[in-house]
């Protein structure tokens, strides 16, 4: 009888130990992912829209600069021709030189202002995309049980299987389509 109780106790203990050890020693595998914001920006609908908007604004600004540059070229040609023929009197020639200098300074100031405006626009729009993408990455990571998601910009090596960028692009495109 005691032998039987001992055998049941041993069997019961073995079962508990087997289940207890497997749970205790086999912790969950840490899920780690990588994300490429450059790829998201280049391949997502929102990133492409931002690039298009910046390029459109840049083309508009360049058109304004080209218009003033044509005026400068016209004044330079007029002064060059006048230097050869001497048609303009001294006062008119000085006025044209002054106007040329003013236009050159105007185009330099306008170019600086346009560059600053484009930079501010890029920062604002790119940060908007990044903010939206970071929220999607955080939500996706929590939902899928990721312990860590790293941006690949400074990553030396990671297997391609860790890259979740394509999934994030899909989720961001859906979110962007809803926003629009």
């Amino acid at each position: 009888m005691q032998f039987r109780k001992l055998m049941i106790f041993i069997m019961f203990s073995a079962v508990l130990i087997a289940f207890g050890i497997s749970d205790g020693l086999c912790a969950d595998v840490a899920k780690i992912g990588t994300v490429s914001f450059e790829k998201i920006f280049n391949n997502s609908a929102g990133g492409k829209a931002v690039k298009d908007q910046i390029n459109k604004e840049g083309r508009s600004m360049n058109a304004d600069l080209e218009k003033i540059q044509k005026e400068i070229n016209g004044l330079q040609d007029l002064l060059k021709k006048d230097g050869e023929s001497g048609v303009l009197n001294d006062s008119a020639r000085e006025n044209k030189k002054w106007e040329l200098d003013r236009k050159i300074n105007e185009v330099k100031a306008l170019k600086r202002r346009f560059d600053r405006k484009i930079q501010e626009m890029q920062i604002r729009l790119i940060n908007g995309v990044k903010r939206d993408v970071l929220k999607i990455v955080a939500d996706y990571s929590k939902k899928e049980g990721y312990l860590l998601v790293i941006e690949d910009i400074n990553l030396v090596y990671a297997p391609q299987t860790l890259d979740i960028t394509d999934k994030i692009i899909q989720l961001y495109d859906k979110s962007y389509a809803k926003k629009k």
Side-chain angles (χ1 to χ4, degrees):
M1 185 78 155
Q2 263 193 337
F3 179 75
R4 191 171 174 198
K5 284 183 180 179
L6 182 62
M7 287 304 287
I8 292 172
F9 177 76
I10 291 173
M11 292 292 257
F12 185 74
S13 297
V15 169
L16 286 176
I17 288 172
F19 286 115
I21 288 176
S22 67
D23 285 345
L25 294 179
C26 299
D28 289 338
V29 176
K31 282 179 83 173
I32 298 174
T34 63
V35 172
S36 170
F37 280 104
E38 181 181 359
K39 185 176 177 183
I40 291 170
F41 189 71
N42 288 330
N43 298 329
S44 68
K48 289 176 183 177
V50 164
K51 279 198 274 186
D52 290 345
Q53 188 176 355
I54 292 168
N55 288 337
K56 181 180 175 185
E57 187 70 23
R59 284 190 298 272
S60 170
M61 291 175 180
N62 278 337
D64 292 345
L65 290 172
E66 287 174 4
K67 180 180 167 190
I68 297 172
Q69 188 61 46
K70 284 181 183 178
E71 293 174 11
I72 290 171
N73 292 342
L75 285 171
Q76 287 174 332
D77 289 344
L78 178 71
L79 288 171
K80 184 179 176 184
K81 287 178 185 175
D82 180 59
E84 295 169 358
S85 64
V87 174
L88 296 175
N89 63 29
D90 289 342
S91 174
R93 187 176 309 110
E94 286 302 314
N95 282 339
K96 292 295 180 186
K97 284 181 182 179
W98 177 82
E99 187 179 346
L100 177 63
D101 289 341
R102 186 181 61 77
K103 291 271 184 195
I104 289 172
N105 289 333
E106 180 184 334
V107 81
K108 286 179 183 177
L110 192 59
K111 176 142 178 44
R112 280 192 304 271
R113 193 169 57 238
F114 284 169
D115 288 346
R116 193 171 39 251
K117 185 177 177 182
I118 286 289
Q119 281 180 333
E120 290 169 357
M121 182 182 201
Q122 284 177 328
I123 289 169
R124 181 175 41 83
L125 294 174
I126 290 170
N127 283 344
V129 169
K130 197 163 189 171
R131 185 177 47 252
D132 293 345
V133 168
L134 285 174
K135 183 177 180 339
I136 290 168
V137 168
D139 292 345
Y140 178 76
S141 299
K142 287 176 189 172
K143 179 182 159 197
E144 295 297 320
Y146 281 86
L147 178 66
L148 182 67
V149 176
I150 303 169
E151 184 177 2
D152 72 349
I153 194 162
N154 290 324
L155 196 60
V156 177
Y157 171 77
Q160 185 63 30
T161 56
L162 298 181
D163 189 7
I164 61 171
T165 304
D166 292 333
K167 183 63 179 172
I168 298 300
I169 289 172
Q170 290 173 353
L171 294 171
Y172 177 58
D173 284 347
K174 286 180 187 176
S175 170
Y176 182 76
K178 287 178 185 176
K179 257 195 333 190
K180 261 192 134 174

